[in-house]
Amino acid sequence: MSELRVHGGTPLTGEITVRGAKNFVSKAMVAAVLGDSPSELRNVPQIKDVKVVSDILRLHGVHVERDREAGVVTMDPQRVETAHMAEVNAHAGSSRIPILLCGPLVHRLGEAFIPDLGGCHIGDRPIDYHLSILREFGARVDKLESGISITAPNGLTGTQVELPYPSVGATEQLLLTAVRARGKTELRNAAIEPEIMDLISVLQRMGAIISVDPGRVIRVEGVESLRGYTFTALPDRIEAASWGAAALATHGDIYVRGAHQADMVTFLNTFRKVGGAFDIDDDGIRFRHPGTELKAIALETDVHPGFMTDWQQPLVVALTQASGLSIVHETVYENRFGFTEALKEMGATIQVYRECLGGGPCRFGQKNFFHSAIISGPTPLHAADIVVPDLRGGFSHLIAALAAEGTSNVRGIELINRGYENFEGKLEALGAKFETV
Ligand code: EPU
């Protein structure tokens, strides 16, 4: 495990740049497999997830070239082929993206093998919606000892699906499968996150016919073939908000070049309610601690356009420094408060509850999950030895260590590389004091 020794207590100040969104770039790379000519994706960050998806595409015969500095990835899918199961399996547990290859690979090759998935441990993260969507299109899904095999001897045919919950991944699964299925597909209760809207734009450039109708309805008319695309990825609004929360927690002042207001409206409203200051211009957003007391808030995470679950963890660190009782109700993942244990060790006063606090009842209310938290602040944070639990929780621990008095050892920071480009370089640029151990 790689480790950082962090000397806290210095405000983070300065400028950093965010590039393309992790949760869009990986999906746009999968979409390239559907084309019969090469695609070019721009504004691609250097993060581990891009490497994992590039490697998996290469195993399937896609010629992938990356210009890391320029942030350009080109993908030529003209020689797509079935990968060796053992080689695909070597990627088991490294990412959740392979499940999205099902539709594109079945369209191109008639079959797909998907290894066991990875991703952060923030809940059970089932794939039942994905598998039932694939079956609705006429695919045969067989669970093997290590992964899933998908075949469709008669091809895939458009269908009507209503999701039990507007899942991001399941909506992407449907889009990536429906665009080349025979006939029309209708999806109700679809997710409409900005990253999904941009995936729809990518697919439209490739030749797909997709409409997004009021009330979370997506309609797709299948086409016989798709071509490659050129597209610039939207900026990473989770990373941008993470740096905003870091400015607040450390009494800092950070200009996030690339941050895009329209995708962050709900975060900005919440940031302002906590007392945070921000200035927006055409190139980015400057996030500042106001210099006066921060205020406690009640917050509920939700699907877009609500407050993103991925913003919750970094903001909770800032809420430990707000005056009064903050209530946070996590309604997207049932188990996203594990990271608060380390914050408590550092001096935060946080209690987690099974009940749905500070909002309406959610899916987890009757199920014994600790999915609400009450944070009592402000409490000074002190240094601790921490093992990073997951991507966003890990970044949050790092912010806490930077806000705390004293020297903390933060282990397992390679998890943070999955989604935050060059975060050590950015910390340095912001004046953070730390060493790699
Ligand atoms: N769900 C099911 N069954 C399914 C799929 C989802 O029950 O088959 C449930 C999940 O367990 C969860 C809820 O539906 O309770 C929402 O999950 P969703 O499918 O929307 O999440 P995802 O597609 O797996 C993506 C991001 C996450 C982000 C969520 C919500 C990627 C690679 N991941 O996950 O990002 O939190 O959407 O916006 O796009 C991160 O970046 O750190 C991260 C975890």
Side-chain angles (χ1 to χ4, degrees):
M1 276 202 259
S2 36
E3 181 172 337
L4 286 190
R5 185 170 298 137
V6 179
H7 312 289
T10 310
L12 295 182
T13 53
E15 174 177 328
I16 49 104
T17 299
V18 295
R19 292 207 283 183
K22 160 177 123 15
N23 292 345
F24 164 77
V25 163
S26 43
K27 289 59 175 292
M29 291 176 72
V30 170
V33 174
L34 286 162
D36 52 23
S37 56
S39 290
E40 181 176 302
L41 187 59
R42 299 176 182 160
N43 201 26
V44 177
Q46 288 190 54
I47 51 172
K48 172 96 184 301
D49 268 23
V50 171
K51 180 178 174 350
V52 170
V53 180
S54 302
D55 289 349
I56 294 174
L57 292 187
R58 287 190 183 110
L59 289 180
H60 288 92
V62 180
H63 183 76
V64 183
E65 275 184 35
R66 280 176 76 188
D67 180 336
R68 289 175 176 73
E69 284 305 310
V72 177
V73 176
T74 52
M75 295 151 286
D76 185 346
Q78 290 174 96
R79 295 202 178 152
V80 165
E81 60 188 13
T82 301
H84 295 292
M85 215 183 265
E87 283 179 342
V88 177
N89 245 333
H91 290 277
S94 57
S95 162
R96 299 192 62 71
I97 303 304
I99 189 76
L100 295 176
L101 275 164
C102 293
L105 287 179
V106 169
H107 282 306
R108 292 295 306 269
L109 303 167
E111 60 177 3
F113 169 73
I114 305 302
D116 289 333
L117 300 180
C120 291
H121 300 296
I122 48 181
D124 229 10
R125 308 197 78 179
I127 52 168
D128 51 334
Y129 304 167
H130 293 254
L131 301 186
S132 98
I133 285 173
L134 290 163
R135 289 191 180 108
E136 288 283 336
F137 277 100
R140 186 187 152 148
V141 179
D142 294 305
K143 290 196 179 150
L144 310 180
E145 210 172 294
S146 58
I148 303 162
S149 148
I150 294 127
T151 48
N154 301 319
L156 299 169
T157 308
T159 181
Q160 296 200 334
V161 177
E162 174 153 5
L163 286 175
Y165 184 78
S167 149
V168 168
T171 300
E172 292 161 343
Q173 181 73 263
L174 181 126
L175 286 167
L176 290 161
T177 307
V179 282
R180 279 196 50 192
R182 267 192 308 270
K184 295 183 181 176
T185 296
E186 181 180 284
L187 176 65
R188 298 195 164 266
N189 207 19
I192 49 165
E193 269 62 8
E195 293 77 13
I196 291 180
M197 293 302 123
D198 271 25
L199 180 63
I200 290 174
S201 299
V202 162
L203 292 166
Q204 185 175 55
R205 284 187 196 196
M206 297 178 79
I209 303 171
I210 304 171
S211 67
V212 182
D213 299 331
R216 296 189 175 278
V217 179
I218 293 181
R219 293 190 171 86
V220 184
E221 289 181 35
V223 295
E224 289 216 339
S225 67
L226 295 167
R227 56 185 170 272
Y229 66 84
T230 300
F231 199 87
T232 301
L234 78 168
D236 197 312
R237 65 197 173 113
I238 306 177
E239 184 183 356
S242 300
W243 291 113
L248 215 48
T250 64
H251 274 252
D253 183 337
I254 304 179
Y255 181 72
V256 183
R257 187 171 291 282
H260 186 223
Q261 178 185 11
D263 304 332
M264 298 184 69
V265 169
T266 309
F267 179 80
L268 293 168
N269 285 338
T270 306
F271 194 83
R272 183 166 274 161
K273 283 186 194 158
V274 179
F278 56 83
D279 310 295
I280 301 170
D281 63 33
D282 288 348
D283 301 320
I285 303 176
R286 176 181 173 200
F287 295 95
R288 288 181 285 124
H289 189 285
T292 50
E293 219 172 51
L294 300 182
K295 294 179 277 250
I297 52 159
L299 176 67
E300 188 168 74
T301 64
D302 207 346
V303 293
H304 190 76
F307 189 93
M308 286 186 94
T309 169
D310 307 283
W311 292 333
Q312 179 260 106
Q313 289 159 302
L315 195 72
V316 161
V317 181
L319 291 179
T320 66
Q321 304 309 305
S323 287
L325 292 182
S326 291
I327 304 172
V328 181
H329 182 203
E330 169 61 60
T331 75
V332 180
Y333 288 113
E334 67 274 27
N335 190 15
R336 212 164 193 180
F337 281 124
F339 79 107
T340 57
E341 280 306 312
L343 298 185
K344 278 161 54 179
E345 265 176 51
M346 299 175 85
T349 307
I350 303 177
Q351 286 286 344
V352 290
Y353 296 87
R354 294 186 177 91
E355 291 76 18
C356 299
L357 299 182
C362 76
R363 297 172 294 152
F364 309 136
Q366 303 302 320
K367 294 196 182 150
N368 234 5
F369 294 121
F370 287 95
H371 70 293
S372 294
I374 295 189
I375 302 130
S376 171
T379 46
L381 298 178
H382 51 76
D385 289 343
I386 305 163
V387 180
V388 163
D390 59 70
L391 173 61
R392 310 293 168 198
F395 188 88
S396 307
H397 287 166
L398 206 58
I399 299 175
L402 288 159
E405 279 305 322
T407 299
S408 299
N409 293 308
V410 187
R411 285 197 294 149
I413 50 150
E414 61 277 3
L415 272 181
I416 302 177
N417 283 324
R418 270 196 49 221
Y420 292 90
E421 179 177 40
N422 182 28
F423 77 92
E424 290 174 50
K426 290 180 187 175
L427 285 177
E428 235 167 66
L430 296 172
K433 298 197 168 69
F434 66 96
E435 297 112 39
T436 311
V437 180

